[in-house]
């Protein structure tokens, strides 16, 4: 998968709002898409990769799909995000299960997962902000 960079995006991720701004193009997508944002040791954006595309209500992805671009690009950390074409930002059971699997898989390979963002219209949901993601220090 090709890693892309949005040149007018924030250079450093400091909050979920920065991620939402960086991923603003996902709001208009007609189907669900899973994207991983690659970060260096200072949380600077190295780029992003679309790792899965689904239908209007779901997107199947494995931890290997998400972690592969992180490993290939030598990222230190990542944020995973997907959109809900319906505009609703509430997490579903499948997203919760994926988040748990990603946290475990990332820890095994020495990567840090900083957040899982669900992009809707007009807002977003952050697992970290909602206290549903424990980032290791």
């Amino acid at each position: 998968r090709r890693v892309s960079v949005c040149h007018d995006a924030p250079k450093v991720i400091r909050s979920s709002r920065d991620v939402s701004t960086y991923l603003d193009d996902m709001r208009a997508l007609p189907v669900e898409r899973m994207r991983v944002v690659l970060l260096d040791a200072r949380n600077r954006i190295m780029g992003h990769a679309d790792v899965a595309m689904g239908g209007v209500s779901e997107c199947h992805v494995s931890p290997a799909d998400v972690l592969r671009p992180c490993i290939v690009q030598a990222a230190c950390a990542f944020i995973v995000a997907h959109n809900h074409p319906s505009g609703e930002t509430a997490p579903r059971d499948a997203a919760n299960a994926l988040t748990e699997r990603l946290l475990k898989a990332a820890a095994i390979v020495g990567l840090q997962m900083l957040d899982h963002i669900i992009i809707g219209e007009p807002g977003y949901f952050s697992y970290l902000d909602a206290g549903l993601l424990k980032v290791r220090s």
Side-chain angles (χ1 to χ4, degrees):
R1 297 194 181 0
R2 195 173 83 93
V3 173
S4 303
V5 177
C6 178
H7 295 289
D8 61 345
K11 301 294 184 219
V12 176
I13 295 296
R14 293 187 176 92
S15 69
S16 59
R17 182 182 304 242
D18 290 343
V19 180
S20 175
T21 299
Y22 180 69
L23 301 175
D24 191 57
D25 67 303
M26 293 182 76
R27 295 182 200 291
L29 296 173
V31 296
E32 278 201 22
R33 186 169 294 169
M34 179 72 66
R35 185 173 287 173
V36 60
V37 179
L38 311 173
L39 303 169
D40 70 8
R42 294 183 176 174
N43 290 347
R44 292 179 297 201
I45 296 172
M46 299 170 62
H48 66 266
D50 289 344
V51 294
M53 186 169 15
V56 294
S57 64
E58 65 184 343
C59 182
H60 297 285
V61 65
S62 73
D65 296 329
V66 174
L67 298 180
R68 188 174 295 112
C70 299
I71 293 167
V72 168
Q73 297 296 320
C76 293
F78 68 95
I79 296 168
V80 68
H82 73 279
N83 66 309
H84 281 175
S86 68
E88 175 61 43
T89 58
R92 300 180 189 135
D93 290 341
N96 295 338
L98 175 64
T99 301
E100 287 300 316
R101 288 175 38 225
L102 284 171
L103 281 168
K104 291 175 184 173
I108 289 170
V109 297
L111 289 167
Q112 189 171 13
M113 179 176 168
L114 299 181
D115 206 346
H116 182 166
I117 304 283
I118 300 171
I119 303 291
E121 184 57 48
Y124 65 93
F125 177 88
S126 162
Y127 276 74
L128 182 64
D129 293 351
L132 299 175
L133 186 87
K134 302 297 183 236
V135 175
R136 56 188 172 102
S137 49

